[in-house]
């Protein structure tokens, strides 16, 4: 790649990978401190109960146990997440359960010991007197007239009930030529990052700071929560994120365990570490996805959609999480259900329902896997009812004029909706899959499609519409060049596997005329950048990358100004390329960028008059629109085994458009990882609960995670429609693979079942579901 002057668009090898693949990464559990204590939590074995008493007197008898605290003894205030809207009912999530437990696995006390084994032993000797209550374990249960209250403040166990779009559509349905309905449900899932949650907290007297190393996506938001709960100034809290082994939304909310660990470290003035084990992660961590939809759509005789009417219920568990609240899933579902289709009339109602289950966090895609599944099922049903090819019916309804203002009030920027569908169908036809499906009478083969967009680059304006009291959006970056010409980029984003060290270096390198190897990315430290919103909602390339590009551009202007002074010309006549500052009108007249940097620091007398020494620049970037939209079409070929009911995916094709592709290989990796998680939700993963609120999955024996053997080869083809709203032209794309996969897989399975008269409308699709459908046809 030597001499290449444009790095954006190049598949530069990920610079993170050598250390991560050779065991030289630094994760929270790799950090050691002299005298550190290990934390473990006493967790409720029941889903709903009053706490009459907590007795920890026997805990400290365990050899190695140094302290144990209940909620009263720890004395830390809880987390309250707020939406500034009348329909939302705020509740507080205590750091340790106080007076009452609301889900199996809720932390009741914290035990501190010399090692994790002693701490676990200590938890076994805690005595908690529980007075069991009747648990609320389903949406229907929660909304029943005689249901117990999960929180006394809630009416009908509802955190949030909204009707953001209340068009009167009944007249349209009464006269429509075709009306189709779907009742779709999705199972509760765990994000299951490779690295579970964890933190190491210590008080540093020299800096008058609580320093917390944590596996998180949002270090500044963790800092804010810690300061509020512990009564500290924000400058007294420093949050550092080392390498992170995956997050997927689970780590973009603040956990109560991390607050408890920090409180214990502050109280004991000793370092305290907690590493979540896999069992805790499965049943006591943040979950997601459990939703139910009742939706109908009206079509004319040509297959064009006339109106959409939706009723959405989201089981959000026992607490509202900080800072996104329990409203994130229903608000996303109701607002973005129309997706890539032109919907002229729309009515939607959505609820966040409280149950005695672990609370939910914004798991990758946040309701969009479900809403895409709903819309794609409606298209398939309408096509069948009207006798129209399902792909042709989609094509008639896709948004094709941009910018497009939807019935939901969102402005859609240009995308390749039709092009991606056309290309996906064309390739599957050319490869012979349609012919195989039609001629292989002895095999159950189906083809499924899913068309969707992914709203990314949510700026401050977009988040403000949710009326959060904490409003994310912008991001800040600082770019510094040292006296030797090397560059450090400080960013408010915080990677957990996306390759920021590579892609952000590519963006900065292009602006500065350097090789990416000369650029070092620093992130995940609240003392390095004044504020940053971290990494979630596919925002880092679109917003964080925009801030990096702007800051690097400002620094480039400073470098040009110095070079112009040295080369006796104007700054506009200076080009930065390949490590040199060259006069455009006389390329032989040049000076190395490294020499300019040396002058800026070590020979400041040679700088232009009134020019400050040093080379640094800072910039912020925000998307001041509805956001930007990536889009894709997924095409799947599935085969069902009539003996076992197993679903095997024979072909998986993604045609995607995320604007300017900064690093194609990294985008491919993100898409493939997302598709794997989407397939997991479509076919395998689910946490169920019994009538007492006990979760079905306590280990990976019970929670069915697909391996490389179940995930097919995933072929990715790129289209590029540059974004007009971002500095880089890039759109976010981190969640798209997950968003499209469940609908494409379910449509393929239903296509394979086309002769049975049965259609499935729930995920995950189990072998039992398939076998029952085949038995029905017999």
């Amino acid at each position: 790649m030597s001499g290449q002057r444009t790095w954006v668009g190049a598949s530069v090898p990920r610079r993170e990978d050598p250390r991560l693949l050779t065991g030289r990464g630094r994760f929270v559990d790799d950090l050691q401190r002299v005298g550190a204590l290990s934390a473990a939590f006493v967790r409720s074995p029941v889903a709903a109960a009053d706490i009459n008493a907590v007795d920890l007197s026997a805990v400290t008898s365990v050899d190695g146990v140094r302290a144990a605290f209940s909620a009263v003894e720890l004395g830390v205030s809880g987390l309250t997440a707020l939406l500034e809207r009348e329909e939302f009912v705020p509740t507080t999530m205590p750091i340790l359960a106080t007076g009452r437990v609301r889900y199996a696995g809720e932390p009741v006390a914290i035990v501190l010991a010399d090692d994790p084994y002693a701490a676990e032993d200590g938890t076994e000797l805690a005595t908690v007197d529980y007075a069991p209550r009747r648990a609320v374990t389903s949406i229907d249960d929660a909304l029943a007239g005689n249901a117990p209250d999960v929180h006394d403040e809630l009416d009908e166990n509802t955190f949030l009930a909204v009707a953001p779009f209340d068009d009167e559509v009944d007249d349209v349905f009464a006269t429509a030529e075709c009306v189709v309905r779907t009742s779709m449900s999705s199972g509760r899932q765990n994000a299951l990052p490779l690295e579970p949650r964890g933190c190491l907290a210590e008080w540093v007297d020299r800096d008058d700071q609580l320093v917390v190393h944590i596996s998180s996506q949002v270090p500044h938001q963790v800092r804010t929560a810690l300061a509020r709960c512990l009564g500290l100034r924000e400058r007294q809290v420093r949050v550092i994120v080392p390498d992170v082994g995956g997050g997927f939304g689970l780590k973009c909310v603040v956990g109560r365990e991390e607050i408890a660990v920090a409180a214990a470290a502050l109280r004991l003035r000793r370092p305290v570490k907690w590493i979540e084990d896999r069992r805790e992660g499965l049943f006591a961590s943040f979950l997601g996805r459990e939703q139910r939809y009742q939706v109908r759509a009206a079509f004319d005789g040509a297959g064009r959609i006339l109106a959409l009417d939706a009723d959405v219920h989201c089981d959000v568990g026992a607490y509202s999480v900080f800072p996104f609240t329990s409203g994130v899933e229903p608000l996303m579902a109701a607002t973005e259900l129309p997706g890539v289709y032109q919907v002229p009339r729309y009515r939607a109602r959505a609820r966040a329902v409280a149950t005695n289950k672990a609370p939910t966090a914004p798991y990758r895609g946040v309701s969009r896997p479900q809403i895409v599944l709903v819309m794609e099922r409606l298209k398939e049903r309408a096509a069948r009812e009207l006798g129209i090819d399902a792909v042709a019916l989609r094509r008639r309804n896709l948004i094709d004029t941009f910018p497009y203002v939807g019935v939901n009030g969102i402005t859609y920027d240009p995308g390749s909706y039709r092009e991606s569908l056309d290309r996906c169908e064309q390739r599957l036809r050319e490869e012979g899959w349609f012919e195989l499906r039609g001629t292989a009478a002895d095999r159950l083969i189906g083809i499924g499609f899913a068309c969707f967009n992914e709203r990314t680059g949510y700026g401050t304006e977009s988040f403000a519409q949710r009326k959060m009291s904490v409003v994310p959006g912008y991001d800040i970056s600082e770019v510094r060049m040292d006296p030797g010409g090397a560059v450090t980029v400080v960013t408010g984003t915080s990677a957990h596997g996306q390759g920021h060290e590579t892609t952000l270096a590519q963006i900065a390198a292009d602006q500065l005329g350097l090789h990416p190897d000369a650029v070092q990315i620093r992130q995940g430290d609240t003392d390095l950048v004044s504020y940053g919103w971290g990494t979630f909602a596919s925002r880092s390339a679109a917003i964080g990358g925009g801030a990096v590009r702007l800051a690097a551009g400002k620094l480039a202007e400073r470098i040009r100004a110095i070079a112009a002074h040295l080369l006796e010309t104007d700054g506009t006549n200076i080009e930065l390329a390949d490590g040199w500052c060259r006069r455009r009108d006389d390329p032989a007249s040049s000076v190395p960028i490294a020499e300019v940097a040396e002058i800026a620091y070590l020979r400041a007398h040679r700088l232009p008059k009134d020019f400050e020494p040093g080379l640094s620049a800072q910039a912020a970037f925000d998307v001041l629109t509805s956001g930007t939209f990536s889009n894709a079409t997924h095409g799947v070929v599935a085969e069902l085994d009539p003996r076992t009911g197993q679903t095997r995916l024979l072909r998986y094709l993604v045609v995607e458009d995320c604007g300017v592709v900064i690093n194609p290989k990294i985008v491919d990796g993100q898409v493939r990882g997302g598709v794997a998680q989407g397939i997991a939700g479509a076919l395998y993963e689910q946490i169920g609960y019994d009538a007492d609120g006990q979760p079905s999955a306590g280990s990976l024996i019970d929670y069915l995670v697909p391996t490389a053997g179940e995930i097919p080869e995933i072929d990715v083809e790129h289209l590029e429609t540059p974004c007009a709203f971002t500095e880089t032209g890039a759109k976010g794309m981190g969640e798209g693979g997950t968003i499209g996969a469940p609908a494409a897989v379910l449509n393929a399975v239903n296509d394979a079942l086309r002769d049975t008269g049965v259609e499935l409308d729930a995920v995950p699709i189990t072998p039992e579901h398939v076998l029952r459908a085949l038995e029905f046809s017999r």
Side-chain angles (χ1 to χ4, degrees):
M1 307 292 287
S2 178
Q4 179 166 327
R5 288 171 52 184
T6 302
W7 294 101
V8 167
S11 288
V12 177
R14 282 175 37 122
R15 65 201 309 175
E16 300 92 330
D17 289 353
R19 76 169 189 275
L20 296 175
L21 294 173
T22 56
R24 292 183 288 112
R26 294 274 289 174
F27 299 87
V28 170
D29 202 25
D30 294 315
L31 306 177
Q32 305 296 327
R33 295 290 185 273
V34 174
L37 298 175
S38 294
F41 289 91
V42 177
R43 296 187 180 274
S44 171
V46 295
D50 292 317
I51 301 174
N52 292 330
V54 178
D55 184 357
L56 303 178
S57 58
V59 174
T60 53
S61 67
V62 175
D63 187 30
V65 170
R66 302 302 173 190
F69 304 112
S70 66
V72 173
E73 293 156 339
L74 195 62
V76 178
S77 61
L79 285 166
T80 304
L82 297 174
L83 292 177
E84 295 172 349
R85 46 197 317 152
E86 293 179 359
E87 311 98 323
F88 178 72
V89 182
T91 57
T92 297
M93 181 167 66
I95 303 307
L96 297 173
T98 307
R100 186 171 170 184
V101 292
R102 292 181 170 87
Y103 64 93
E106 182 166 4
V108 175
I110 183 173
V111 177
L112 295 311
D114 292 336
D115 60 63
Y117 307 103
E120 289 285 353
D121 288 345
T123 65
E124 297 295 325
L125 294 185
T127 301
V128 184
D129 181 8
Y130 297 103
R133 291 170 169 244
R134 180 161 69 89
V136 175
T137 60
S138 70
I139 292 171
D140 287 337
D141 219 6
L143 300 179
N146 62 344
D149 292 330
V150 177
H151 290 271
D152 294 339
E153 306 97 305
L154 301 183
D155 183 25
E156 294 186 322
N157 286 316
T158 300
F159 286 110
L160 175 72
V162 292
F165 307 100
D166 198 20
D167 194 356
E168 180 49 61
V169 297
D170 291 337
D171 58 331
V172 181
F173 282 90
T175 59
E177 189 161 338
C178 175
V179 175
V180 293
R181 292 175 170 80
T182 185
S183 299
M184 197 284 296
S185 63
S186 57
R188 202 172 192 84
Q189 284 184 259
N190 191 300
L192 209 72
L194 188 62
E195 179 199 23
R197 295 181 299 156
C199 65
L200 169 66
E202 58 186 325
W203 178 260
V204 180
D205 282 317
R206 182 173 181 266
D207 298 326
D208 189 37
Q209 267 191 330
L210 177 71
V211 179
V212 180
H213 290 79
I214 186 171
S215 184
S216 174
Q217 300 170 226
V218 288
H220 283 86
Q221 293 177 62
V222 172
R223 183 184 73 179
T224 296
L226 284 167
R228 290 181 180 182
C229 289
L230 303 180
L232 299 172
R233 298 183 178 93
E234 289 220 15
R235 70 156 181 81
Q236 290 182 290
V237 181
R238 181 182 184 185
V239 176
I240 301 172
V241 176
D243 289 322
V244 176
F248 312 118
L250 165 69
K251 297 175 184 175
C252 78
V253 297
V254 181
R256 55 210 300 198
E257 291 90 349
E258 293 96 331
I259 303 289
V261 165
L266 189 63
R267 178 163 177 166
L268 299 174
R269 289 300 198 266
R270 290 184 64 173
V272 178
K273 182 195 283 189
W274 170 69
I275 302 297
E276 180 182 65
D277 63 34
R278 189 60 71 190
R279 181 169 175 271
E280 287 178 300
L282 278 170
F283 76 88
S285 188
F286 301 106
L287 304 176
R289 293 279 196 263
E290 189 172 3
Q291 299 182 6
R292 187 178 70 193
Y293 291 71
Q294 300 284 341
V295 186
R296 58 177 180 158
F299 291 82
D300 66 17
R304 293 183 180 86
I305 191 167
L306 303 174
L308 188 64
D309 188 13
D311 198 5
V312 183
H313 292 85
C314 302
D315 183 334
V316 297
Y319 290 103
S320 195
V321 297
F322 183 89
F324 291 98
T325 79
S326 56
V328 61
E329 286 192 344
L331 288 171
M332 179 77 81
T335 302
E336 301 195 13
L337 180 63
V340 294
Y341 298 109
Q342 301 180 60
V343 177
R345 304 280 295 274
Y346 181 40
R347 180 167 63 193
R349 301 159 300 284
R351 279 191 178 191
V353 179
T355 58
N356 291 118
K357 301 175 184 175
T360 60
Y363 180 30
R364 194 177 192 174
V366 186
S367 294
R368 286 167 292 185
Q370 292 93 327
I371 63 179
V372 171
L373 201 159
V374 167
M375 292 301 291
E376 295 301 289
R377 291 303 306 140
L378 291 171
K379 295 296 181 291
E380 292 283 331
R381 287 212 167 126
R384 185 193 64 210
E385 292 289 326
L386 294 167
I388 300 173
D389 176 75
V391 174
L393 186 141
R394 286 182 174 86
R395 200 172 280 120
R396 292 174 194 178
N397 286 283
L398 286 170
I399 298 168
D400 59 359
T401 302
F402 299 97
Y404 175 84
V405 180
V407 69
N408 50 11
I410 294 173
T411 299
Y412 296 74
D413 62 328
S416 54
Y417 297 179
R418 287 196 177 187
E419 293 91 333
S420 65
L421 175 59
D422 292 345
R423 181 60 178 154
C424 192
E425 181 192 25
Q426 177 189 3
R427 286 193 56 183
L428 292 185
R429 287 193 182 280
E430 289 174 350
E431 293 168 9
W433 294 107
F434 282 85
E435 182 180 358
L436 177 63
R437 181 188 63 170
T439 58
D442 58 334
R443 299 173 67 183
L444 298 172
I445 293 176
I447 298 175
F449 291 95
C451 299
F452 66 94
N453 56 21
E454 176 193 355
R455 189 180 182 189
T456 72
Y458 288 84
T460 306
E461 181 179 312
S462 295
F463 276 115
Q465 291 173 358
R466 295 184 184 177
K467 301 183 180 179
M468 296 169 59
S469 62
V470 175
V471 185
Y474 66 88
D475 233 295
I476 298 172
S477 178
E478 182 182 2
V479 181
R480 301 190 296 265
M481 181 173 283
D482 67 23
V487 174
T488 299
V489 174
V490 179
T491 174
T493 64
S494 187
H496 46 282
Q498 296 90 339
H500 292 181
E501 293 177 40
T502 306
T503 53
L504 297 183
Q506 289 176 255
I507 293 170
D510 270 355
Q511 293 297 105
L512 297 168
L514 297 172
H515 192 287
D517 287 350
V519 181
Q520 180 69 32
I521 305 299
R522 298 289 303 279
Q523 57 191 324
D525 187 335
T526 57
D527 271 10
L528 290 181
V529 64
S530 56
Y531 211 87
W533 289 103
T535 293
F536 56 90
S538 300
R539 67 185 305 274
S540 294
I543 295 180
V548 169
R549 190 176 188 275
L550 285 173
K554 288 183 178 180
L555 179 59
E557 288 302 311
R558 289 181 59 80
I559 294 169
R560 288 191 188 97
I562 298 172
H565 175 71
L566 298 174
L567 299 175
E568 299 180 339
T569 186
D570 183 80
T572 59
N573 192 34
I574 297 294
E575 177 187 34
L576 306 183
D578 305 322
W580 289 81
C581 307
R582 295 189 179 94
R583 288 180 58 141
R584 298 180 191 274
D585 61 356
D586 181 13
S589 179
S590 60
V591 61
I593 291 176
E595 184 175 334
V596 171
E598 182 180 319
I599 289 169
Y601 287 96
L602 306 181
R603 288 181 281 162
H605 64 283
R606 296 187 59 189
L607 293 173
K609 186 178 180 181
D610 299 327
F611 200 95
E612 292 184 0
L615 285 173
S616 66
Q618 179 176 294
F621 180 71
D622 199 352
V623 174
L624 301 178
T625 64
S626 296
T628 184
F629 288 84
S630 296
N631 68 271
T633 298
H634 289 202
V636 175
V637 182
E639 182 171 18
L640 308 182
D641 187 329
R643 299 166 301 171
T644 66
Q646 296 285 346
T647 299
R648 185 165 70 99
L649 303 183
L650 306 179
R651 180 75 170 102
Y652 206 110
L653 172 63
V654 176
V655 181
E656 71 86 35
D657 186 342
C658 63
V660 172
V661 179
I662 296 171
N663 188 308
K665 283 191 175 179
I666 286 180
V667 171
D668 288 350
Q670 285 284 288
V671 171
R672 291 185 175 116
V675 168
Q677 284 188 305
I679 291 171
L683 295 175
Y684 302 104
E685 296 182 9
Q686 182 172 22
I687 294 180
Y689 286 79
D690 66 16
D692 295 322
Q694 292 297 321
S696 63
S699 74
L700 293 180
I701 294 175
D702 310 305
Y703 190 71
L704 193 59
V705 180
T707 69
E710 287 76 45
I711 302 298
E713 182 178 345
I714 299 162
D715 189 5
V716 183
E717 182 174 329
H718 302 287
L719 304 174
E720 285 198 19
T721 306
C723 179
F725 304 144
T726 63
E727 281 292 315
T728 60
K731 306 174 182 181
M733 44 65 56
E735 300 174 280
T738 310
I739 291 169
V745 171
L746 183 60
N747 282 338
V749 169
N750 279 324
D751 189 43
L753 294 170
R754 60 191 175 276
D755 295 329
T756 67
V758 175
E759 290 186 83
L760 304 180
D761 276 321
V763 290
I765 307 159
T766 67
E768 290 79 9
H769 292 151
V770 173
L771 288 174
R772 282 201 295 269
L774 294 174
E775 183 63 30
F776 179 85
S777 67
R778 300 189 186 104

